[in-house]
Amino acid sequence: MLSSLLSPARVAGEPSNEDQQSTNCREARPMINFSTIRDVPLVELSNQAQSIGHTPLRPIRMLINEKVRTVYLKLECENPTGSIKDRTAYGLIQDLEDKHLLTASSKVIESTSGNLGVALALICKAKGYSFTAVIDPKNTRENIAKMEALDARIDLVQSPDKNGGYLLSRLARVQELLAQNQGYVWTNQYANAANPNVHYLSTGPEIYQQMNRKVDILFAPVSTGGTLAGISRYLREVNPSVTIVGVDAHGSVVFGTTPATRRLTGIGSSRRSDFITRDLYDYALHVKDEEAFAFCHALSMRTGLKLGGSSGCTLFACAQFLADHPEMNHIVCVCADGGENYKTTIFDQTWIQQLSVNYFEQQLQRALDIILE
């Protein structure tokens, strides 16, 4: 399957009609219909699981310091379950199989903020393994429904950890379940080298090929750090001068900053990354909830493209960085998932009222001034 991931993907300099016309991340190719997934034959599920990768780049225009800049978005929402975590899930399960750690009776378990849980649920169902997702109250209703549709068992932790998030609480619960039942096998997205390796083997090469081997700067969201670590390692091998920017949520401790409460999901962490070393990134930028969500709304309003909160973080960081570095060209933003998982949160006006509304509105106007139609 990785050989198919490494085959040529759509190139930025030669956009297809599909790239030019699509305004919804899930229009470019058939995606899973979760409302009917229980009725889908196993062979078709397996085919879906094999269609990971080959996600398109989409150019958007930003007006920064009175200069129009072209920024290429790597749309990972085009994966089967709608996020970059499909790649990670494939790599993690393949690694366990290669090490002969999985049998027909194995119970796969993982801590997840949502997207990886959906991805693992798909691959486990396709391969015949049971799957337990240890989640927390920040998981969106959309992602929980998808996991349940794929027959995942949901284990919900309720208590925040010492850093104000839920990750450490989820990990403690994973350890409890592992101790209780020897049939559980933990994929361990946080320390398994298969996580960054799948991005080194697939995501990085795809981006490089699609950009016609010209990438000056790349912005990537961080959580476990596997995406940034894998892509960065590949790009630095083929272009040592590339600038890598890690984008994190305000309040996350991935880069060693002070913990704080945050509403963003799918980005940030309550612990340092096991994968990210200082040589893998040049800058680390932190983005507040309101800043990220404002860019999500502005992108939707200007282009019709709905993306998730981590993508809003990445776009905000990109605009901020380019304002101070006008010399940069050949710009790529990794957009980890689409907006369909956030209809009841980021794209719900009632939910948005929980934020600092005045600051959100200020940032929304700023984003609308930056992102062009």
Side-chain angles (χ1 to χ4, degrees):
M1 190 255 189
L2 279 179
S3 61
S4 67
L5 281 174
L6 290 168
S7 64
R10 284 179 293 207
V11 178
E14 302 171 359
S16 67
N17 289 336
E18 196 171 68
D19 289 329
Q20 293 172 324
Q21 295 172 3
S22 175
T23 58
N24 186 308
C25 201
R26 297 181 72 87
E27 286 180 359
R29 62 181 178 181
M31 307 297 285
I32 291 176
N33 182 348
F34 285 92
S35 65
T36 60
I37 194 69
R38 284 193 171 95
D39 301 322
V40 173
L42 192 59
V43 65
E44 187 174 331
L45 274 183
S46 181
N47 289 337
Q48 287 279 5
Q50 292 292 321
S51 65
I52 298 168
H54 312 298
T55 56
L57 281 179
R58 173 170 170 171
I60 65 167
R61 297 182 306 141
M62 289 186 173
L63 181 64
I64 300 174
N65 294 340
E66 300 183 352
K67 180 180 179 181
V68 176
R69 312 301 305 274
T70 298
V71 175
Y72 289 91
L73 309 185
K74 181 63 168 166
L75 296 179
E76 288 298 294
C77 50
E78 293 281 356
N79 280 305
T81 71
S83 86
I84 198 169
K85 293 297 187 177
D86 284 1
R87 299 179 191 259
T88 308
Y90 171 82
L92 292 171
I93 295 297
Q94 187 65 51
D95 178 70
L96 293 179
E97 290 181 333
D98 290 346
K99 294 174 179 175
H100 306 290
L101 295 176
L102 291 177
T103 67
S105 61
S106 293
K107 304 175 189 296
V108 175
I109 187 170
E110 185 57 280
S111 152
T112 175
S113 60
N115 285 333
L116 183 64
V118 178
L120 282 170
L122 170 67
I123 292 177
C124 286
K125 186 175 176 66
K127 288 176 173 284
Y129 307 123
S130 70
F131 172 61
T132 296
V134 179
I135 68 169
D136 62 63
K138 289 175 66 178
N139 275 245
T140 66
R141 291 192 303 223
E142 293 87 349
N143 270 335
I144 293 172
K146 289 179 180 180
M147 285 186 273
E148 290 177 335
L150 289 163
D151 297 330
R153 176 178 175 269
I154 304 299
D155 192 295
L156 176 67
V157 302
Q158 298 280 6
S159 302
D161 58 38
K162 64 182 180 181
N163 290 327
Y166 288 93
L167 173 58
L168 302 183
S169 300
R170 296 200 313 261
L171 291 176
R173 179 57 177 162
V174 168
Q175 293 304 315
E176 282 182 26
L177 293 172
L178 289 171
Q180 292 171 11
N181 189 327
Q182 293 185 348
Y184 279 119
V185 181
W186 184 24
T187 47
N188 193 3
Q189 62 167 318
Y190 310 96
N192 188 337
N195 179 348
N197 196 47
V198 76
H199 299 290
Y200 172 79
L201 292 172
S202 67
T203 323
E206 276 184 30
I207 290 169
Y208 190 59
Q209 292 166 12
Q210 288 172 304
M211 289 295 292
N212 296 320
R213 298 174 174 80
K214 295 177 181 178
V215 181
D216 293 336
I217 186 167
L218 178 131
F219 298 83
V222 298
S223 181
T224 65
T227 299
L228 182 144
I231 294 175
S232 175
R233 183 158 65 95
Y234 177 81
L235 290 181
R236 288 209 190 284
E237 286 181 5
V238 296
N239 177 18
S241 65
V242 67
T243 297
I244 303 292
V245 181
V247 182
D248 199 8
H250 174 76
S252 163
V253 303
V254 172
F255 293 107
T257 48
T258 304
T261 302
R262 60 190 186 278
R263 294 187 180 276
L264 279 157
T265 60
I267 185 172
S269 178
S270 296
R271 51 166 276 178
R272 297 289 295 268
S273 168
D274 284 1
F275 305 126
I276 299 176
T277 54
R278 192 61 188 87
D279 60 306
L280 291 175
Y281 68 96
D282 300 287
Y283 301 90
L285 300 181
H286 290 80
V287 182
K288 295 179 179 178
D289 293 339
E290 293 85 357
E291 295 163 343
F293 301 152
F295 267 75
C296 290
H297 279 258
L299 182 70
S300 176
M301 294 164 72
R302 288 289 188 238
T303 70
L305 184 63
K306 281 185 166 64
L307 297 179
S310 67
S311 299
C313 284
T314 305
L315 291 172
F316 177 90
C318 176
Q320 184 180 53
F321 189 89
L322 293 180
D324 297 326
H325 298 83
E327 74 281 2
M328 290 291 178
N329 295 298
H330 306 112
I331 305 151
V332 177
C333 287
V334 177
C335 296
D337 68 354
E340 68 169 18
N341 290 329
Y342 308 96
K343 293 176 182 176
T344 59
T345 54
I346 296 172
F347 294 102
D348 180 82
Q349 292 301 322
T350 301
W351 187 88
I352 285 290
Q353 297 302 310
Q354 302 174 59
L355 307 176
S356 174
V357 176
N358 288 340
Y359 187 56
F360 169 77
E361 291 177 348
Q362 292 171 8
Q363 292 302 311
L364 177 58
Q365 185 56 58
R366 175 174 178 253
L368 287 169
D369 291 339
I370 291 173
I371 300 175
L372 303 178
E373 295 180 355

